[in-house]
Amino acid sequence: MSIYETLNEQQQEAVYHTEGPLLILAGAGSGKTRVLTHRIAYLIEEKGVNPWNILAITFTNKAAGEMRERVDDIVGFGAESIWVSTFHSTCVRILRRHIDKLGYDTNFTIYDSDDQKTLMKDVCRLLQIDTKIYKERMLLSAISSAKDELVTPEEYRIKAEGDYNKQKTAQVYEEYEKQLRANNALDFDDLLVKTVQLFQTQADILDYYQERFRYIMVDEYQDTNTVQFELIRLLASKYRNLCVVGDDDQSIYKFRGANIKNILNFEQVYEDAKVIKLEQNYRSTSNILNAANAVIRNNCGRKDKTLWTDNGDGEKIHFRQFDSAYDEAEYIVGDIREHVDDGSCTYNDNAILYRTNAQSRMFEEKFVTANIPYKVVGGVNFYARREIKDLLSYLKTVDNGQDDLAVRRIVNVPKRGIGLTSINRVQEYASTHEIGFYEALRAVDLIPNIGRGASRLDSFVALIEHFKADALDMSILDLMQEIMDETGYIESLQAEDSIEAETRIENIDELMSKIAAYEEACEEANEPATLSGFLEEVALVADIDSLDESSDYVVLMTLHSAKGLEFPKVYLAGLEDGIFPSYMTITADDPEEVEEERRLCYVGITRAKQELTLTCARRRMIRGETQYNKMSRFLKEIPMDLLATGAVFEKDDEPPKQSAYAQARQTFRTRAFAGAAKPVRQFAVPEGNGPGYGIGDRVRHIKFGAGTVTAITEGGRDYEVTVDFDGPGTKKMFATFARLEKI
């Protein structure tokens, strides 16, 4: 039997259609990776395509690694010539060879989010930007959005004319880019932007890669943004053998710049495109898929498709509504413990998914109390830890002395008596003479008023030059060891004699293991292990790549992080309006925003293979305030016959008598003490008989928007008003402070 006969009819059609533009609409769990790998094998074995003429792009290192492994297994000889990588890795590989055409050195540094924040602080300080008004994160977000849309600083400044705030952002954008170039550094957005600029300005380089990649495949196409679309369009424009695979129902990264129109309008861009739908799901049971179909069907901006499976009906979906988030967490943790104890599952069969990172705290506390192993995916990235960034900055300085951020980070780490005054004088000299910070250090004798700091700075430069010379002959592992020995970095941590310092030393040991693993991998692939290559690999690591599926722990993660994963048992928690969909989405009054949230719910449901449990709470503490939320509208879109017996929808119970709210309410009902010697300050009661509106009236709140008054209670000091808001749900408040306006 041919390997292609193991595919279903639609999968075979996708494999056999090799020429011209092709859109594969692959529903969740429909075997798209299998289709892509078999398609690559078919191109080589049956169509005689050279392996090096094939490019396969996906979004995460994890997905690229899985595809690489499968391609190697199925193709065998010649598979190593196929480019299988992420967008960013592909671009880095191209830029390492050709970025000198754009005026950069090929040993450029890649700035992560922490580096960007540090650079932005420097830019704001230089331009005297008030960061209380113009938040650094907001400025970085605006610049990232501009780059996603291929808008240069000059174009941004022209478009900002007449808008004072945008003109400020344009000023920051220009200086930010100037500093990046001076540091011979690129941020993540630049990796894509500079590659597109390279192709747009260097026709010979574009032609080379068009000839090289005659067959292009792009996975997760629904997550592409404008710059990624343009990159692929340029590469594919000569031979037009472009195959894109995606699912518009799983487009959930709008906040990162993803443009769902790239997949929805594919046939308009490529009028001769073939469209194939993969609707058979191999992951989940019918009940889970029917729930997912019922929810996503409420979206208008989508291509019609319905998931189905031969896996059988399976268990019905479990639904539980709890009085509080505390009860919700207690139930889920207890349910996991019960099923592990009876042998029906292991810890790593279970995943708890939620809308926001803040929701993990309650679960973490319960897991610690119950002594259950767990891991929160998406916490502090290993490479963002202080000691790791310190040592990587040494490597970056050795590799690229133009990286001012890296040099400034380590110039006095460990402490070598170089004060902030000396550092500032070096920086002023560098800025005045328009040279890099490290270049200024090398000319420290020429810096006025540097004083006694000169000898220490000279020693630092001599140390770095020594490392640079040794790097030519040493392995990266030996170089890292020498850096730690010569600088006394480990000794400085040991001198702290604290548990935190011990943890940092353990992290450094892990970094050494990572370097060794990188060098071994290069040796196996018969490739040179370079310092630039190692720093590049480290820079491109994502949080999700740290998920070890072989370890036995419960996984906690946001729904955005869960995309592309699957688990036998999934708990989807916090399904309340105001939480999921989020309060901002509801109040935005934008149907597209709600549709994105619904796609996120669809992604969450389709992560489950065998069992799905949906939970919500009537009250939840958010930012120190108890909120009473309605059940999520997405829950109500699931047909009742798919839910297990005993699921009960909406129940308006009073909060328990022992709650803090009940106690406060009791205090409120007590009239102010009369007859005291000193006058008691009375709260102002709204004029007229009552607050100016009644039960059933529509009112508007400055924060929560429009809602309907459901109850008004007269107290001794004020009126207590209960309002069922359209978005955030039910709120109880005092009339005087609520300042509700009757609509």
Side-chain angles (χ1 to χ4, degrees), residues 72-218:
D72 290 348
D73 286 344
I74 201 168
V75 174
F77 181 75
E80 69 281 354
S81 302
I82 304 166
W83 276 30
V84 181
S85 62
T86 64
F87 270 102
H88 291 100
S89 296
T90 299
C91 290
V92 168
R93 201 166 170 181
I94 293 169
L95 292 174
R96 286 287 180 212
R97 291 184 63 184
H98 306 289
I99 199 171
D100 56 315
K101 302 286 188 191
L102 298 178
Y104 289 79
D105 287 347
T106 52
N107 64 334
F108 58 85
T109 300
I110 302 169
Y111 277 1
D112 62 18
S113 56
D114 280 347
D115 296 327
Q116 287 179 269
K117 288 173 193 169
T118 304
L119 181 60
M120 183 54 72
K121 283 179 183 175
D122 292 345
V123 168
C124 290
R125 196 179 303 118
L126 180 69
L127 298 177
Q128 297 182 321
I129 300 290
D130 187 348
T131 52
K132 290 180 181 176
I133 298 173
Y134 301 95
K135 305 285 185 188
E136 289 149 2
R137 184 183 296 178
M138 178 194 76
L139 292 168
L140 282 169
S141 176
I143 291 170
S144 179
S145 297
K147 289 184 178 183
D148 283 349
E149 295 300 319
L150 287 169
V151 177
T152 65
E154 295 76 19
E155 290 168 339
Y156 195 96
R157 177 167 36 79
I158 294 168
K159 289 180 179 179
E161 286 181 6
D163 187 321
Y164 180 78
N165 289 329
K166 284 191 175 178
Q167 285 177 333
K168 277 286 183 187
T169 305
Q171 187 184 5
V172 171
Y173 186 9
E174 284 187 299
E175 183 59 34
Y176 175 80
E177 284 300 287
K178 181 182 172 185
Q179 296 284 350
L180 276 174
R181 183 176 279 270
N183 292 351
N184 194 38
L186 304 180
D187 61 22
F188 273 90
D189 297 314
D190 283 333
L191 297 177
L192 299 160
V193 171
K194 299 301 178 191
T195 308
V196 169
Q197 288 176 356
L198 186 71
F199 288 160
Q200 289 173 336
T201 58
Q202 309 294 323
D204 57 329
I205 294 174
L206 174 60
D207 185 65
Y208 169 80
Y209 283 103
Q210 286 175 337
E211 287 293 333
R212 173 72 193 265
F213 303 126
R214 299 188 179 200
Y215 291 86
I216 300 171
M217 279 162 269
V218 184

Side-chain angles (χ1 to χ4, degrees), residues 11 29 92 197-198 202 232 371 401 452 457 490 538 739 743:
Q11 290 174 331
V92 168
Q197 288 176 356
L198 186 71
Q202 309 294 323
I232 295 302
N371 197 28
R452 288 178 299 176
L457 291 169
I490 298 292
V538 164
R739 296 182 181 177
I743 301 174

Side-chain angles (χ1 to χ4, degrees), residues 16 42 101 144 235 239 273 321 368 491 500 508:
Y16 298 151
Y42 184 78
K101 302 286 188 191
S144 179
L235 278 174
Y239 289 100
Q321 185 179 29
V368 170
E491 286 84 347
E500 185 183 358
I508 292 170

Side-chain angles (χ1 to χ4, degrees), residues 429-445:
Y429 182 84
S431 300
T432 304
H433 292 79
E434 296 187 342
I435 59 176
F437 187 85
Y438 187 71
E439 197 176 339
L441 284 178
R442 295 176 68 176
V444 71
D445 293 338

Side-chain angles (χ1 to χ4, degrees), residues 343-358:
S344 59
C345 69
T346 56
Y347 287 124
N348 64 0
D349 286 336
N350 298 271
I352 302 174
L353 310 180
Y354 36 76
R355 179 64 181 82
T356 63
N357 276 309

